[in-house]
Amino acid sequence: MSTLTSTSNSSTAHWLSKVPQVTLAFWVIKILSTTVGETGADYLAVDAGLGHGVTRVMMAVLLAIALFLQLRTRRHTPWTYWLTVVLVSIVGTQITDLLTDGLGVSLTVSTSAFTVLLAVIFATWFRVERSLSMHDIVSRRRELFYWAAILCTFALGTAAGDLATEAVGLGFARGVVSFGMLILITYATWRLGGNAVLTFWIGYILTRPFGAALGDLLTQARTDGGLGMGTMWTSALFLSVIVMLVAVAQIGTGSRRSARVSE
């Protein structure tokens, strides 16, 4: 019995170490990643001249490689995890853009469809695993559920953000303020004793349209309600901050592992 318990605890620790702690740095990188998903896809497809088709294929292949590396790692590796998140953000944005611009699906329909799909993922995940916590990823199957949910949240957040800022006419600046207020309300709800898992996923979904609205506010021309920074400079700036924060996390993770080995 003690052997089984030891093995189980070792396995749990093995999987839990692959998931980052939900800290302020986590949310900052997440929001920056969502903005890069919005600006990066536009830059590659339009400004870099690759075209939407080539960009979609290239990003999908890169995501598949990053996800393979993430699933193969034995412990949490910050650069692998966040590279996957950034690529999921870009691909999620491209999925929504393909439906809206390529296939003519209305933002109302795509937002509703992604909401239903996310609900199905969560329902299936909970029915099979009895937990939706990102801190309870203790098997390969749970990790696959986790990444499926994340991809859907990015696609849903893109559709909901575009619906609010463009179709409804909220605008970029008011979109940033509105989604930012919803995030603060979600945070306050958690602080006041709200369900941690529910508030985490609500916050995770809301950071996508917040990041998208922020990206549009920074990149779009002043005549269109933006600040005119352009997709190249915005993407480069945000990617630089992401790389710096992930590098700090990577160094910290390495130091903690070395300390444990020396003990």
Side-chain angles (χ1 to χ4, degrees):
M1 178 65 72
S2 61
T3 302
L4 290 176
T5 302
S6 175
T7 302
S8 176
N9 290 338
S10 175
S11 176
T12 299
H14 160 78
W15 281 95
L16 287 176
S17 66
K18 295 181 67 178
V19 179
Q21 294 296 313
V22 183
T23 61
L24 177 60
F26 172 92
W27 289 112
V28 170
I29 299 174
K30 167 61 168 64
I31 291 172
L32 294 178
S33 299
T34 66
T35 305
V36 168
E38 184 76 12
T39 61
D42 290 341
Y43 173 74
L44 291 173
V46 180
D47 297 285
L50 296 180
H52 292 288
V54 173
T55 302
R56 290 183 190 118
V57 173
M58 182 172 66
M59 291 299 105
V61 171
L62 290 176
L63 174 58
I65 295 172
L67 188 56
F68 174 78
L69 293 174
Q70 169 62 23
L71 293 173
R72 292 272 296 179
T73 56
R74 288 186 168 274
R75 60 189 69 186
H76 173 54
T77 306
W79 76 266
T80 306
Y81 177 87
W82 286 112
L83 174 62
T84 306
V85 170
V86 170
L87 290 170
V88 166
S89 175
I90 295 175
V91 171
T93 299
Q94 291 175 325
I95 291 173
T96 299
D97 289 345
L98 174 62
L99 292 175
T100 304
D101 301 328
L103 302 179
V105 178
S106 73
L107 289 169
T108 302
V109 172
S110 59
T111 300
S112 301
F114 285 129
T115 299
V116 172
L117 178 59
L118 183 60
V120 170
I121 292 173
F122 280 145
T124 306
W125 182 358
F126 186 78
R127 182 176 180 180
V128 173
E129 301 292 343
R130 311 307 299 176
S131 172
L132 298 178
S133 174
M134 69 169 294
H135 296 302
D136 201 20
I137 311 298
V138 294
S139 69
R140 177 65 53 77
R141 185 168 60 188
R142 289 188 181 185
E143 191 176 13
L144 289 172
F145 275 124
Y146 172 75
W147 286 111
I150 286 179
L151 177 59
C152 194
T153 63
F154 276 110
L156 170 60
T158 301
D162 289 346
L163 177 64
T165 58
E166 298 176 16
V168 176
L170 193 61
F172 306 135
R174 284 181 293 178
V176 170
V177 174
S178 298
F179 287 114
M181 289 299 298
L182 289 174
I183 292 171
L184 289 177
I185 291 171
T186 304
Y187 172 74
T189 300
W190 170 70
R191 293 291 297 178
L192 292 172
N195 183 275
V197 174
L198 178 61
T199 53
F200 168 81
W201 284 112
I202 291 175
Y204 205 96
I205 293 170
L206 288 173
T207 53
R208 180 62 187 94
F210 174 80
L214 178 61
D216 287 334
L217 176 64
L218 294 173
T219 60
Q220 296 302 313
R222 295 180 182 275
T223 54
D224 296 326
L227 299 179
M229 286 181 59
T231 56
M232 182 182 73
W233 291 111
T234 302
S235 300
L237 174 62
F238 280 36
L239 273 174
S240 297
V241 177
I242 290 173
V243 169
M244 180 179 65
L245 292 174
V246 172
V248 171
Q250 187 71 48
I251 294 171
T253 300
S255 298
R256 288 191 295 272
R257 287 173 186 166
S258 298
R260 285 196 296 267
V261 170
S262 63
E263 292 174 357

